[in-house]
């Protein structure tokens, strides 16, 4: 007796799993082999669904991506044909992978592998490790960047203008991933070997000031203070010529730190005794710490792109607060969080100054500030595991 067709279509052997690749030309693989994804418009439908990262995309949005201004007149019937074709292209699980969901369609990354989703998962995993395990973070970022097969997503569909906003977002994420990977390598003590790569990157992207900061820092940590200052002057000249503006505050502050040979520019293992830090407890009660750099804003929140990720605390906003160096020293700012930021029992307004031994409460999480260089340094610092009495009761 024949088995029902439905039972065969819902069971997918690992080797038959489909792959949708859009970090480069749009490509589909089934059982590890490339298969044709159809013409440009059909590939554009697949690309938009893949770039949505598991989100439902409306039929109207798909139509606009493929037909632009003529979408209303041409898209409805043909879109259904394209979706049907793509289900066949995606292999045995095609119908489960590409589902109809009002008001449109969903490409499920749990059924087919989507390189965009994997890329963003690796970025999030790397961010969670960048404080305690910079070497591991750098490895994950290399793995994420290796998924790219070209400089632009859906690079074979460059004429499909409606894709541009999605492509721009991913291109910016890729650029940020390069910079995050270099930060992780710097934290792991690989300054000298990064110089050549950073020379190339600043030549290719001369207006990205963060790359200039990383090059200058790598030179300085490699014992090349004069070269670091020359690189700053080069960055300044490029910015003046290209956009008619001086370097931003991060680059200017970095130059001043190099001139005075600030201890905060040294790697963590060389400057731990001289750097201001934030310390907090993870859900297992383990103390976590991040060093503060006057040239960089430290953000705290639930979202994975924060410096301090508090993803387990649902009372913390996605971007809850930030700590930065102000004119008078370190300060904390609330970023419009839902539940507010508390600083030593008082709510934080636009900005509040921090002194050694202060504590912050974000949702149910307490973060301690320690500044060993502070003129009013305290000797009675609390144990990170001993939360202030005010945090034992719900606000």
């Amino acid at each position: 007796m024949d088995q029902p067709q439905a039972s065969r279509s819902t069971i997918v052997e690992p080797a038959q799993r489909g792959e949708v690749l859009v970090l480069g030309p749009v490509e589909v693989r089934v059982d590890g082999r490339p298969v044709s994804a159809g013409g440009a418009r059909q590939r554009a439908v697949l690309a938009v669904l893949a770039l949505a990262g598991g989100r439902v995309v409306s039929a109207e949005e798909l139509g606009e991506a493929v037909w632009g201004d003529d979408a209303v007149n041409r898209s409805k019937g043909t879109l259904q044909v394209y979706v049907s074709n793509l289900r066949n292209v995606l292999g045995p699980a095609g119908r489960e992978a590409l589902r109809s969901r009002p008001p449109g369609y969903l490409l499920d990354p749990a059924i087919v592998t989507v390189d965009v989703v994997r890329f963003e998962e690796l970025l999030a995993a790397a961010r969670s490790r960048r404080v305690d395990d910079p070497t591991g973070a750098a490895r994950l970022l290399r793995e994420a960047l290796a998924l790219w097969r070209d400089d632009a997503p859906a690079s074979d569909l460059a004429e499909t203008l409606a894709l541009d906003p999605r492509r721009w977002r991913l291109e910016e994420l890729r650029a940020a991933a390069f910079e995050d990977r270099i930060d992780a390598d710097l934290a792991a003590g690989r300054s000298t070997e990064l110089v050549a790569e950073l020379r190339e990157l600043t030549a290719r992207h001369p207006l990205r000031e963060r790359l200039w900061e990383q090059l200058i820092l790598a030179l300085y940590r490699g014992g090349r203070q004069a070269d670091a200052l020359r690189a700053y002057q080069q960055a300044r000249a490029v910015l003046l010529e290209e956009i008619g503006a001086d370097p931003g505050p991060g680059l200017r502050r970095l130059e001043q730190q190099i001139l005075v040979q600030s201890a905060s520019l040294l790697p963590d293992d060389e400057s731990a005794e001289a750097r201001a830090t934030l310390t907090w407890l993870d859900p297992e009660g383990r103390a976590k710490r991040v060093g503060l750099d006057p040239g960089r804003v430290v953000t705290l929140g639930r979202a994975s792109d924060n410096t301090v990720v508090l993803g387990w605390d649902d009372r913390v906003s996605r971007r809850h607060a930030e700590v930065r160096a102000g004119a008078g020293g370190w300060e904390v700012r609330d970023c419009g969080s839902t539940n507010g930021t508390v600083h030593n029992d008082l709510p934080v307004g636009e900005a509040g100054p921090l002194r050694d031994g202060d504590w912050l409460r974000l949702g149910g999480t307490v973060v301690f500030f320690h500044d060993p260089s502070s003129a009013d340094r305290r000797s009675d610092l609390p144990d990170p595991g001993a939360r202030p009495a005010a945090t034992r009761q719900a606000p």
Side-chain angles (χ1 to χ4, degrees), residues 21-206:
L21 310 177
V22 294
L23 296 178
V26 177
E27 184 177 328
V28 175
R29 297 175 188 169
V30 177
D31 195 13
R33 295 189 297 268
V35 297
S36 173
R41 285 177 173 158
Q42 183 166 296
R43 296 199 312 277
V45 170
L46 183 61
V48 174
L49 289 166
L51 291 170
R55 176 179 63 85
V56 174
V57 182
S58 71
E60 179 181 2
E61 186 178 354
L62 286 166
E64 289 176 355
V66 178
W67 289 278
D69 294 338
D70 201 24
V72 175
N73 296 325
R74 301 186 57 182
S75 66
K76 185 175 181 181
T78 311
L79 177 59
Q80 293 173 347
V81 172
Y82 287 164
V83 168
S84 177
N85 291 343
L86 289 169
R87 285 169 172 161
N88 292 328
V89 167
L90 291 171
R95 182 164 294 278
E96 287 74 30
L98 207 175
R99 302 198 295 273
S100 299
R101 282 280 184 85
Y105 298 93
L106 164 72
L107 181 66
D108 190 345
I111 306 296
V112 292
T113 300
V114 181
D115 59 355
V116 170
V117 174
R118 179 60 179 158
F119 174 68
E120 298 202 40
E121 288 174 346
L122 287 167
L123 294 190
R127 291 188 187 106
S128 70
R129 292 192 181 191
R130 62 186 174 188
V131 174
D132 297 322
D133 182 15
T135 300
R139 177 182 55 78
L140 290 169
L141 288 165
R142 285 189 176 86
E143 184 179 346
L145 291 165
L147 295 172
W148 287 74
R149 296 167 293 117
D150 203 343
D151 287 337
S155 55
D156 56 333
L157 299 171
E159 299 302 317
T160 308
L161 298 180
L163 284 174
D164 280 356
R166 302 173 185 87
R167 297 169 74 204
W168 293 338
R169 173 182 172 273
L170 279 169
E171 287 168 13
E172 188 62 30
L173 281 178
R174 184 190 186 211
F178 267 112
E179 294 168 349
D180 287 346
R181 197 224 81 214
I182 291 168
D183 275 345
D185 282 335
L186 283 169
R190 301 181 62 228
S191 303
T192 302
E193 57 197 281
L194 288 171
V195 170
E197 180 183 9
L198 283 164
R199 293 280 194 199
E200 180 182 349
L201 287 170
T202 51
R204 290 172 55 192
H205 308 284

Side-chain angles (χ1 to χ4, degrees), residues 206-209 235-248:
L207 301 183
R208 294 191 74 92
E209 294 191 34
R236 183 174 183 273
V238 167
L239 292 167
L240 282 171
E241 180 179 352
E242 295 290 334
I243 62 175
D246 280 318

Side-chain angles (χ1 to χ4, degrees), residues 356 376-382:
D356 186 50
D376 57 352
R377 181 179 178 185
R378 290 171 48 183
S379 60
D380 58 337
L381 292 178

